[in-house]
Each structure stands twice: as C-alpha cells, then as structure tokens.
Amino acid sequence: MTLTSPHLGSSAGWTDARLLYALEEVVEKELNRHLKVTKDWMPHDYVPWSDARNFPGFFEDGEAWDRSQSKVTDIGRIALVVNLLTEDNLPSYHHEIASLFGRDGAWGTWVHRWTAEEGRHGIVMRDYLLASRAVDPDELERFRMAHMSEGFESDNRHSMLHSVAYVAFQELATRISHRNTGHQSGDPVCDRMLARIALDENLHMVFYRNLLGAAFELAPDLTMQAVRDVVVGFRMPGHGMPGFERAAAQMAIGEIYNLRIHHDDVLQPVLRFLKVLQIDGLGPEGLKAQEELGLYMNGLDGEASKFDERLAARKSRMAARAAG
C-alpha cells in the first residue's frame, strides 16, 4: 500500500483522509478486478414488453390496473415494491458515497461505476412491474414521490470506515432480498430479472468486503469498532419508506428477509470470510469491540431461533386450517 504508519494496529493517527489515501491502491485493484469479471447487460432484455398495454389517462384504449392482471404472488408484490423503492433512492446514495469517498482517482471512478450499475436495477424493475401489471402504478408512483421527497441519510454518514463496513453487509443483504423475492414471485420472468440484479449486488459486496479486509490490515482496532457498530445497529436503507415496518414483517413471514436469513446469509458469511472474530493482536478498544460483536452475534442467533419457532408454529396452524 502507498501509505505506511507507525500507528498500525492502533486508533491513533488514522483519519478518514489518511485511510482514503492508504486504501486508494486497493480500490484501484478491486475496481480493475470488478471490471474484468462483470458483464454488461441490457435492462430491456428482461422486460415482457408483449404483456404491456396502455393505462387510462391520455389513451382512449387505456385499461385500469387490477390485481388479477398479474401472476405475481402477494408476497412477491410487497417485496418488489420495497426493493424498487430502495433502488429509487440512488441519487441520495450517490451523493453520500461521493461526499465520503470523493470523485477523483480510483475512488471516484468506482463511485460513478457503481452508480451506473445500480441505475439499471431501478430501470428494469420499474419497467417489469409496469409492463407485467404486477403492481398498482398510481400507488407505486405516490410511494416513490413520498420516499424520495424524504431523501436518505445513512446511519454511517459520519465515517468513511463505517460506510465501507455497512455496504459490505448491505450489498449482500440486497442480493439475498432480490433472490428470495424472485423465488417467491410466482413468475419465472421476474425470477430471471432479479437473479440478474443479484449478480451485480454480489459483485458489489465482494468489492466492499475486500476493501474492508484491507482496512483490517491497516487499522484493525478502528475497523473492528466500525464493524461492531454497523452490525449491532444495522438497518436496511428502505427503513424510511411508507409502510416499511408492515412490509418488512410480511417479508419476514414470507421468508424473503428475516432474522434467520440476516444472521445466516448476510452477517455470518462476511464475518467468516474476513475471520473477524478470530483476528488477534488487537488493542484494548479493538478487543472490546470484537468481544461485543461476538456476544451480539450469539444473541442474534438466539433471537433468530425464537423467530424460527414462531414461524414453524404459524405454518402448522395454517396447514391445520387448510386441512380442516
């Protein structure tokens, strides 16, 4: 790396600016790797345009939306709206990471490339939803206006290191949410579209995960504290949208995203890959953060087990009612 420091392993001497500079070569390396493995794709190729027809308004032949017009399941419809509204706030996300990471050098190139790739996700999802009539278009637009009018401010906007830690987990969480939504959608076309989006999200996760690993090598104490803070306070970026709590509860029951999935498929894979709970040589603050992270993960596993039991009991009740 370009920058060496006598403070390696301690919190002293590291600022966001110094870490940004120290990680520049890693960003360039990861950017080049990303560009070699990623494949361009066309959003319009994934949209069933032949299913589309006019909506009422300016067209005399317009047909009003009705739930029966789409083959998408109820839980698929709920999750698709949540996932799309999350993607819609891309301007706020771009502003935040551009402010934190900068617009110059490898960092800036990555920020713009990431934004361009993420832009495809909102495009293809909205086109699919409207062409296939999977959701009420008027309600979707009202939700979009309300959500974007509020803007978005991350819990981690105060720190570049916290933001890198957050997106390492959040990109994987988004990938899992998209894939499970596709599986539960009831529409193979939707499943194929979301699988394509999920591939992008996974590559974004790998970029940030590897960057986080490099940060552990440079400033393990500070990075451990950032990971602890992010994991303990983790919230998905869509938490401010209209009706999010109810939708999140339905998605949890529908096994699209819940505590068990969050623990097993999002947090654990990143922590395990980076061997976060096995890192040694930490200073007092880093060791404290590592211990607290381990305790939190144990507690979350216990909460996830309780959720699993409640969900199994619910399924049994529903099966009994159906049989009766």
Side-chain angles (χ1 to χ4, degrees), residues 58-121:
F58 295 105
F59 297 99
E60 292 183 2
D61 64 344
E63 183 179 350
W65 179 82
D66 184 87
R67 188 182 298 267
S68 64
Q69 294 165 349
S70 170
K71 59 176 70 88
V72 171
T73 60
D74 287 343
I75 188 59
R77 184 177 297 108
I78 291 165
L80 280 162
V81 170
V82 169
N83 291 352
L84 175 56
L85 291 179
T86 300
E87 300 285 357
D88 275 335
N89 249 342
L90 181 60
S92 288
Y93 309 149
H94 173 85
H95 172 75
E96 186 159 296
I97 66 171
S99 299
L100 283 166
F101 300 158
R103 299 167 62 92
D104 301 318
W107 280 103
T109 302
W110 167 254
V111 166
H112 295 304
R113 175 72 193 196
W114 175 88
T115 301
E117 291 183 5
E118 288 286 339
R120 287 176 172 148
H121 304 168

Side-chain angles (χ1 to χ4, degrees), residues 85-301:
L85 291 179
T86 300
E87 300 285 357
D88 275 335
N89 249 342
L90 181 60
S92 288
Y93 309 149
H94 173 85
H95 172 75
E96 186 159 296
I97 66 171
S99 299
L100 283 166
F101 300 158
R103 299 167 62 92
D104 301 318
W107 280 103
T109 302
W110 167 254
V111 166
H112 295 304
R113 175 72 193 196
W114 175 88
T115 301
E117 291 183 5
E118 288 286 339
R120 287 176 172 148
H121 304 168
I123 290 169
V124 71
M125 289 178 69
R126 175 165 280 99
D127 286 349
Y128 165 80
L129 291 176
L130 297 180
S132 67
R133 292 188 167 235
V135 301
D136 181 342
D138 294 344
E139 185 177 70
L140 180 65
E141 178 60 11
R142 285 192 290 269
F143 281 166
R144 187 191 71 84
M145 285 295 296
H147 187 41
M148 290 193 69
S149 295
E150 288 294 318
F152 173 81
E153 287 190 340
S154 168
D155 298 330
N156 305 288
R157 62 189 179 278
H158 63 287
S159 160
M160 179 277 293
L161 195 52
H162 280 71
S163 295
V164 168
Y166 175 73
V167 288
F169 295 104
Q170 183 266 321
E171 293 282 5
L172 183 52
T174 304
R175 170 188 178 267
I176 295 296
S177 181
H178 282 314
R179 286 303 287 125
N180 288 343
T181 298
H183 294 331
Q184 302 277 11
S185 69
D187 181 7
V189 175
C190 180
D191 193 22
R192 183 168 59 245
M193 171 194 66
L194 292 176
R196 176 57 260 191
I197 292 174
L199 285 175
D200 280 359
E201 303 289 8
N202 195 63
L203 289 176
H204 297 165
M205 178 276 294
V206 170
F207 178 96
Y208 287 119
R209 183 196 65 193
N210 292 352
L211 192 56
L212 187 62
F216 267 115
E217 293 180 14
L218 276 173
D221 281 356
L222 279 179
T223 306
M224 187 67 72
Q225 291 172 71
V227 169
R228 185 253 339 254
D229 294 345
V230 162
V231 169
V232 170
F234 187 89
R235 295 194 295 173
M236 289 293 276
H239 60 80
M241 70 180 59
F244 178 77
E245 288 76 14
R246 176 176 171 78
Q250 291 170 308
M251 290 168 68
I253 293 170
E255 297 182 86
I256 288 176
Y257 201 94
N258 55 40
L259 280 179
R260 175 53 63 199
I261 292 168
H262 183 60
H263 178 276
D264 290 1
D265 300 336
V266 177
L267 299 182
Q268 283 284 31
V270 175
L271 295 175
R272 190 182 304 118
F273 182 89
L274 296 176
K275 298 181 172 59
V276 173
L277 296 177
Q278 286 77 49
I279 291 174
D280 56 16
L282 296 165
E285 290 301 314
L287 186 59
K288 178 173 180 266
Q290 187 182 51
E291 291 172 349
E292 290 174 350
L293 178 61
L295 288 172
Y296 177 81
M297 290 299 294
N298 288 337
L300 184 64
D301 187 36

